[in-house]
Amino acid sequence: RILKIEVLFMKCKIVTDSSVNLFSMEDVDFSSVPLKIITDSREFTDDQKLDLDEMLTYLASYKGRSGTSCPNIHEWLEAFGDADAVFALTITSSLSGCYSAAVQAKEQYEAASPGRRVCCLDSLSAGPELALIAEKLRELIHSGKSFEQIEAEIRSYMKRTHLIFTLESLNNMAQNGRVSPLVAKACGLLGIRIVGQASDEG
């Protein structure tokens, strides 16, 4: 009974980076911390104010290098707010420093506020799979389970979800050095579409 009362009064929050493509969730305290898309001449912040069409048009014509910048420790800490239990979900650590920054924020948050807990989840994925994980977290929070139970169940759930993706163009990957520009151009000329699956290592 004591445990159940503690769970009912535990203020829980879900915090994700913007790769989840969610800026709000119903019936749960939620925050999104934005990644940034950076070129030599412009910077785009991936938040609700982003004009996606403008960014895509610009990147399609841009000839230089482009990259991304992950949220810093301070941005994660601000997003944690004053929650008793935070579940921080990030894009795969193989592609971004989001997870590392979230873990460092967790250490500072818990040290500054004894009794508060943060669970950092490296999705080993990107996009729609993260949205599924966030929705499962909301379900578990509403079930009234303890912090430890939620963490155990969400990690188990993550082992059963997988990401399959398709790429219409390799231009952006060529611009940030992930594939050869020649390969990207050849795929475009031949109309090749890439279909892939995220590995178990992300």
Side-chain angles (χ1 to χ4, degrees), residues 14 22 25 130-140 154:
I14 299 172
L22 293 173
M25 293 186 76
L130 275 75
L132 287 175
I133 297 168
E135 289 169 3
K136 184 65 175 179
L137 276 169
R138 176 175 58 186
E139 176 188 320
L140 291 170
I154 197 63

Side-chain angles (χ1 to χ4, degrees), residues 69-104:
S69 173
C70 70
N72 59 42
I73 298 170
H74 177 70
E75 289 171 313
W76 282 105
L77 285 170
E78 278 197 332
F80 292 170
D82 62 352
D84 301 310
V86 178
F87 298 91
L89 176 63
T90 75
I91 190 172
T92 175
S93 57
S94 296
L95 293 178
S96 171
C98 282
Y99 178 71
S100 176
V103 169
Q104 292 177 69

Side-chain angles (χ1 to χ4, degrees), residues 12-62:
C12 297
K13 186 171 188 179
I14 299 172
V15 181
T16 71
D17 62 56
S18 59
S19 70
V20 182
N21 293 323
L22 293 173
F23 296 111
S24 64
M25 293 186 76
E26 291 185 2
D27 306 321
V28 70
D29 195 4
F30 176 87
S31 285
S32 169
V33 285
L35 289 96
K36 296 179 176 65
I37 298 89
I38 300 170
T39 70
D40 292 334
S41 56
R42 292 194 65 177
E43 179 177 296
F44 298 91
T45 300
D46 187 20
D47 58 18
Q48 287 178 294
K49 298 178 182 177
L50 176 65
D51 186 327
L52 187 58
D53 290 335
E54 179 191 2
M55 183 188 76
L56 293 175
T57 300
Y58 172 80
L59 292 175
S61 61
Y62 178 68

Side-chain angles (χ1 to χ4, degrees), residues 151-170:
E151 180 172 10
E153 291 194 27
I154 197 63
R155 292 192 185 280
S156 175
Y157 176 79
M158 288 168 63
K159 293 177 181 178
R160 305 195 304 271
T161 60
H162 302 283
L163 176 69
I164 296 175
F165 60 89
T166 181
L167 297 176
E168 183 177 337
S169 168
L170 296 180

